[in-house]
Amino acid sequence: MSIINSILKAFVGDKSKKDVKELQPLVDQIKSFESEFEKLSHDELRNKTLYFKQTIKDSYKDITDKITELEMEVQESNDIDKNEDIYTEIDKLKEEAYKLSEETLNKILPEAFAVVKETAKRFAANETLTVAATENDRKLSGEKDYVSLEGDNAVWKNSWDAAGKQVTWDMVHYDVQLIGGIALHQGKIAEMQTGEGKTLVATLPLYLNALTGNGAHLVTVNDYLAKRDSAWMAPIFEFHGLSVDCIDHHRPNSDGRRAAYNADITYGTNNEFGFDYLRDNMAHTPKDLVQRPHNYAIVDEVDSVLVDDARTPLIISRSVPEGDRHEFNELKPKVSEIVQKQRQHLTGVLAEAKKLIAEGNSKEGGFLLLRVYRGLPKNKAFIKFLSEEGVKQLLQKTENFYMQDNNREMPKVDEDLLFVIDEKNNRDRAY
């Protein structure tokens, strides 16, 4: 096999080297911003994030305005069919907005990555960074010991606690880490050896994708890494006004965990992300959900998460509220009453259908026969009548007529039925 691989490389080339070569122009673009950004003040550097966010919003502003109009139209309308069409259009517009935001992210990637690199460089070169205090700075000063206020200014330290260990920031992105960040943003697997700075690599695409406001997740294999990395990298993001949290700090279904998912950047373990997804699928109301729509995620140690751990299924169960209440027993009499009413009604309809068919009025007789078939196809008297010569063919011919043009005429058949049993599509529909 090694001989074959060697021959292939000789003619085709090394795939990984080709991929890296293709990304090199982007790396060069990122580095081209260095001299320009070095001249910016700390506040001017932070303002780049506001500029990026506005650029993304402007890229699909027309679509956002259209969605707002449609949502207002839904609120004012009581037409269910019309509202369903409007919601379908809204979903299409949201998909279009997402595509436009992705295109914008790809355009601003070099400059955005350069902002993160310059931020890392300044934290590594300075014990403190003094900036004009924003509302976010004031909030963080009451929660984090690495942010303090001095009059109208906020002072950021380059040393903080990361999961019980005091760290002083000393990392700056190398070219290999820029390449890894680009690959991760493009949805590819970036294979890096221990010590090559995988944790730092993730700051680049996380920052970029968090700019949309739709959230970015980093999935790790154990809670220590999730808590450590979220605390270790947080100041780099928070310096630019982005919020960071770790779901493993909060109990399931708690307000804290819900807030963690609403953060711009969310760290957590694969099992907790998975179980929260399962719990959300068991929720009865929107307010019970903790996760918001998924946008972008990086999976750390992807082979462990998606191969090794994936062999063990996530199983969840819960107690049934009002376990002594059996809704089946409550609903069965009501359902039986509806079925009985329809049976009595269709017995008369079947008798009328037989009479009309016997008189040679196959059009009206076939119409009533189809109505019986739609309402009670398993009725013994009906089944027996179908065995008579020509009756089944008449039913088939009538059904074909009313099914044409996407069942357009079928409501005329169903209009006086309490429910319809559609045997062909294996479903019931009540009226």
Side-chain angles (χ1 to χ4, degrees), residues 339 342-343 346 372-379 382 419 421:
V339 173
Q342 180 144 302
R343 181 179 289 111
L346 292 181
V372 177
Y373 173 66
R374 298 276 292 175
L376 283 178
K378 298 298 184 182
N379 181 276
F382 170 74
F419 59 87
I421 300 175

Side-chain angles (χ1 to χ4, degrees), residues 10 41 56 96 103 131 138 144 172 206 225 227 233 262 306 345 368 407:
S41 66
I56 294 168
E96 189 176 342
E103 291 175 5
V131 293
R138 297 183 186 282
K144 312 290 185 179
V172 181
L206 283 176
L225 287 176
K227 293 173 182 176
M233 302 294 118
N262 285 325
L306 299 184
H345 169 62
L368 295 179
N407 286 345

Side-chain angles (χ1 to χ4, degrees), residues 50-308:
L50 300 177
Y51 164 73
F52 293 145
K53 287 184 174 182
Q54 191 60 49
T55 300
I56 294 168
K57 288 181 179 179
D58 290 344
S59 69
Y60 56 85
K61 183 180 183 302
D62 292 341
I63 296 177
T64 303
D65 293 342
K66 179 63 176 176
I67 290 174
T68 302
E69 291 177 11
L70 291 173
E71 289 175 341
M72 291 177 63
E73 190 176 339
V74 168
Q75 293 176 358
E76 297 171 357
S77 172
N78 293 321
D79 188 331
I80 296 176
D81 293 331
K82 180 182 178 182
N83 288 349
E84 186 174 351
D85 292 337
I86 293 175
Y87 280 124
T88 300
E89 186 176 353
I90 288 174
D91 288 340
K92 291 180 180 178
L93 288 172
K94 286 182 177 179
E95 289 180 9
E96 189 176 342
Y98 176 79
K99 291 178 181 178
L100 289 174
S101 70
E102 285 299 298
E103 291 175 5
T104 306
L105 288 182
N106 290 329
K107 290 178 182 177
I108 66 173
L109 183 150
E111 192 173 359
F113 276 29
V115 166
V116 179
K117 181 177 179 179
E118 179 63 25
T119 305
K121 187 188 300 182
R122 295 191 184 192
F123 269 92
N126 302 280
E127 291 186 3
T128 60
L129 300 177
T130 302
V131 293
T134 63
E135 193 61 37
N136 183 61
D137 293 330
R138 297 183 186 282
K139 176 177 175 290
L140 288 173
S141 66
E143 302 171 355
K144 312 290 185 179
D145 60 5
Y146 48 83
V147 183
S148 59
L149 298 177
E150 291 183 2
D152 293 333
N153 293 329
V155 179
W156 287 71
K157 298 178 182 177
N158 74 339
S159 180
W160 53 82
D161 179 84
K165 180 182 178 182
Q166 194 69 19
V167 297
T168 298
W169 189 266
D170 60 356
M171 298 183 292
V172 181
H173 304 78
Y174 291 105
D175 287 5
V176 66
Q177 291 161 333
L178 298 177
I179 291 171
I182 298 168
L184 289 176
H185 171 68
Q186 294 177 347
K188 299 174 181 177
I189 296 175
E191 183 179 5
M192 305 187 74
Q193 302 298 322
T194 301
E196 286 189 323
K198 291 185 292 182
T199 306
L200 184 62
V201 167
T203 58
L204 299 163
L206 283 176
Y207 169 81
L208 177 64
N209 285 274
L211 293 171
T212 63
N214 297 323
H217 295 167
L218 192 140
V219 186
T220 62
V221 291
N222 63 63
D223 62 345
Y224 170 73
L225 287 176
K227 293 173 182 176
R228 184 203 68 179
D229 291 355
S230 63
W232 190 8
M233 302 294 118
I236 300 299
F237 303 121
E238 292 171 338
F239 184 74
H240 290 281
L242 300 177
S243 55
V244 183
D245 209 334
C246 176
I247 60 174
D248 293 72
H249 282 305
H250 311 283
R251 291 182 296 101
N253 292 324
S254 65
D255 291 337
R257 181 159 291 198
R258 190 172 291 106
Y261 277 112
N262 285 325
D264 293 311
I265 297 169
T266 305
Y267 286 76
T269 54
N270 55 318
N271 283 342
E272 288 303 313
F273 278 119
F275 278 122
D276 282 335
Y277 177 81
L278 294 178
R279 293 186 192 99
D280 279 0
N281 275 274
M282 296 167 66
H284 290 292
T285 62
K287 68 181 180 62
D288 294 328
L289 301 175
V290 295
Q291 293 187 346
R292 56 172 164 166
H294 302 141
N295 175 53
Y296 174 81
I298 296 174
V299 181
D300 186 21
E301 298 191 33
V302 65
D303 52 343
S304 296
V305 173
L306 299 184
V307 179
D308 298 335

Side-chain angles (χ1 to χ4, degrees), residues 18-32 110 179 182:
K18 277 190 171 183
D19 291 341
V20 170
K21 188 175 181 180
E22 289 177 1
L23 298 180
Q24 190 59 46
L26 278 174
V27 174
D28 294 338
Q29 287 184 51
I30 296 168
K31 295 169 72 175
S32 70
I179 291 171
I182 298 168

Side-chain angles (χ1 to χ4, degrees), residues 250-406:
H250 311 283
R251 291 182 296 101
N253 292 324
S254 65
D255 291 337
R257 181 159 291 198
R258 190 172 291 106
Y261 277 112
N262 285 325
D264 293 311
I265 297 169
T266 305
Y267 286 76
T269 54
N270 55 318
N271 283 342
E272 288 303 313
F273 278 119
F275 278 122
D276 282 335
Y277 177 81
L278 294 178
R279 293 186 192 99
D280 279 0
N281 275 274
M282 296 167 66
H284 290 292
T285 62
K287 68 181 180 62
D288 294 328
L289 301 175
V290 295
Q291 293 187 346
R292 56 172 164 166
H294 302 141
N295 175 53
Y296 174 81
I298 296 174
V299 181
D300 186 21
E301 298 191 33
V302 65
D303 52 343
S304 296
V305 173
L306 299 184
V307 179
D308 298 335
D309 284 9
R311 294 173 182 172
T312 305
L314 300 179
I315 300 173
I316 192 169
S317 63
R318 67 177 180 186
S319 59
V320 179
E322 301 181 83
D324 56 342
R325 179 186 174 194
H326 300 286
E327 292 185 357
F328 174 80
N329 293 332
E330 295 176 10
L331 296 175
K332 183 179 178 182
K334 298 176 183 178
V335 173
S336 297
E337 182 181 353
I338 294 173
V339 173
Q340 183 60 27
K341 284 184 178 181
Q342 180 144 302
R343 181 179 289 111
Q344 291 173 352
H345 169 62
L346 292 181
T347 298
V349 174
L350 178 60
E352 182 66 19
K354 288 180 180 179
K355 178 183 174 183
L356 291 170
I357 293 171
E359 293 172 352
N361 189 346
S362 59
K363 182 178 180 181
E364 294 184 21
F367 175 84
L368 295 179
L369 191 65
L370 178 59
R371 178 170 287 172
V372 177
Y373 173 66
R374 298 276 292 175
L376 283 178
K378 298 298 184 182
N379 181 276
K380 292 181 180 180
F382 170 74
I383 293 173
K384 183 178 180 181
F385 184 55
L386 283 183
S387 64
E388 295 184 14
E389 185 178 354
V391 177
K392 191 170 185 178
Q393 289 79 0
L394 175 61
L395 173 64
Q396 186 64 56
K397 181 180 178 181
T398 306
E399 185 182 32
N400 290 341
F401 173 79
Y402 284 95
M403 285 181 66
Q404 64 185 353
D405 196 11
N406 198 24

